[in-house]
Amino acid sequence: MRERIVFIGGGNMASAIIDGLLARGRERADFLVVEPFEPARASLLARGLACQASAGPEIADAALCVLATKPQALHDACGQVRAHLSAPATVVSIAAGVSLASLSQWLGGHARIVRAMPNTPAKVGLGMTGLYATASCGAAQRAQVDALFAAVGECIWVDTEAMLDAVTAVTGSGPGYVFHFMAALEQAARELGFGAVDARRLSVAAFRGAAELAAGDDAALIELQERVTSKGGTTYAALTHLREAGVARAIAEAALKAAQRARELSAG
């Protein structure tokens, strides 16, 4: 019998995971989505997915229950789920800042829970998801969750729940840092005479190409940087300016600020 996956919330991340799993051979009948927002529910139904407005007895046979609501709606969602969830089910929460202790309490003491911190590139199958599980989740449950997020990219398990704040700072918020740098490079291209369309193409291509090179090479990133830098050349001039401006340290400090804010949000 195939595992059934229930999504509580049918927004962008839930849809990305479902699409990724469908592309890997899962069937629409494997999913049930609980989505209270009628237009979103209608869209999901139009795609051939089972969808209903609230959680009920239909979720009792779920092997995985993915809590994909906004954090402010999570308490109420758990209240609906707890009455029908089976003890063997693995609950996965993608809500930032909600601890495992709170989730377990809201779910009536449910033991098998995983916190996940995905990022927006999951929408194009290039996500990175940080994961942390309760002690009640064994190898089988971790494998279930690995398969879930492998459908939208890569995943990494961390040793403590607190390390999810670090994941948030590096990859959860990371796309924002990259877009910031891309926008600056795009602006430079405009100032150098390119039109808007070509300036954006050049900026995106630089990041896409560099990321692919880094992904396919185990060399240290600083070594990859040195390979494209000739003494006294154009890249050397640019990198010298970045070093003098303290850009690398500013980026690292930005990530540390994000981690600090994530800890504050987790503490309530």
Side-chain angles (χ1 to χ4, degrees):
M1 182 177 177
R2 296 171 71 98
E3 294 178 340
R4 194 170 195 221
I5 305 175
V6 170
F7 288 84
I8 309 299
N12 289 334
M13 192 57 67
S15 292
I17 295 171
I18 291 170
D19 287 342
L21 291 169
L22 289 172
R24 288 179 169 229
R26 296 300 294 256
E27 299 175 1
R28 281 172 171 76
D30 297 337
F31 306 107
L32 170 64
V33 184
V34 176
E35 173 54 65
F37 187 51
E38 196 281 329
R41 194 164 64 251
S43 177
L44 291 161
L45 288 167
R47 293 175 54 199
L49 294 165
C51 191
Q52 58 194 51
S54 60
E58 300 83 0
I59 74 168
D61 65 345
L64 280 169
C65 180
V66 183
L67 303 175
T69 67
K70 295 184 185 302
Q72 59 268 30
L74 190 55
H75 184 273
D76 289 343
C78 288
Q80 288 186 35
V81 166
R82 65 186 290 177
H84 308 288
L85 194 66
S86 68
T90 303
V91 174
V92 180
S93 171
I94 64 173
V98 182
S99 69
L100 288 173
S102 293
L103 289 165
S104 181
Q105 180 183 356
W106 297 347
L107 291 168
H110 192 81
R112 290 180 173 172
I113 308 175
V114 176
R115 276 189 64 191
M117 184 62 232
N119 64 358
T120 53
K123 297 175 186 177
V124 292
L126 294 172
M128 173 59 82
T129 302
L131 300 165
Y132 180 75
T134 59
S136 297
C137 292
Q141 288 73 45
R142 285 173 174 252
Q144 284 178 316
V145 177
D146 276 334
L148 189 73
F149 290 102
V152 290
E154 300 180 59
C155 50
I156 181 171
W157 291 90
V158 295
D159 294 331
T160 66
E161 187 173 6
M163 282 300 292
L164 287 177
D165 294 333
V167 173
T168 300
V170 178
T171 57
S173 299
Y177 317 151
V178 174
F179 295 145
H180 182 77
F181 203 132
M182 289 173 72
L185 197 57
E186 179 185 34
Q187 179 60 35
R190 294 292 302 273
E191 292 178 17
L192 288 167
F194 289 99
V197 173
D198 284 342
R200 182 183 175 95
R201 286 180 61 208
L202 288 166
S203 176
V204 171
F207 276 80
R208 177 183 286 162
E212 284 298 314
L213 283 173
D217 195 319
D218 291 333
L221 294 176
I222 192 68
E223 181 181 333
L224 295 180
Q225 177 182 294
E226 289 170 354
R227 289 180 191 173
V228 298
T229 306
S230 300
K231 183 75 170 179
T234 58
T235 308
Y236 179 85
L239 290 175
T240 297
H241 178 76
L242 290 176
R243 291 190 188 99
E244 291 173 351
V247 171
R249 189 61 227 160
I251 292 170
E253 288 177 356
L256 295 175
K257 289 288 187 182
Q260 178 183 336
R261 183 57 181 152
R263 288 191 293 270
E264 292 168 356
L265 292 171
S266 297

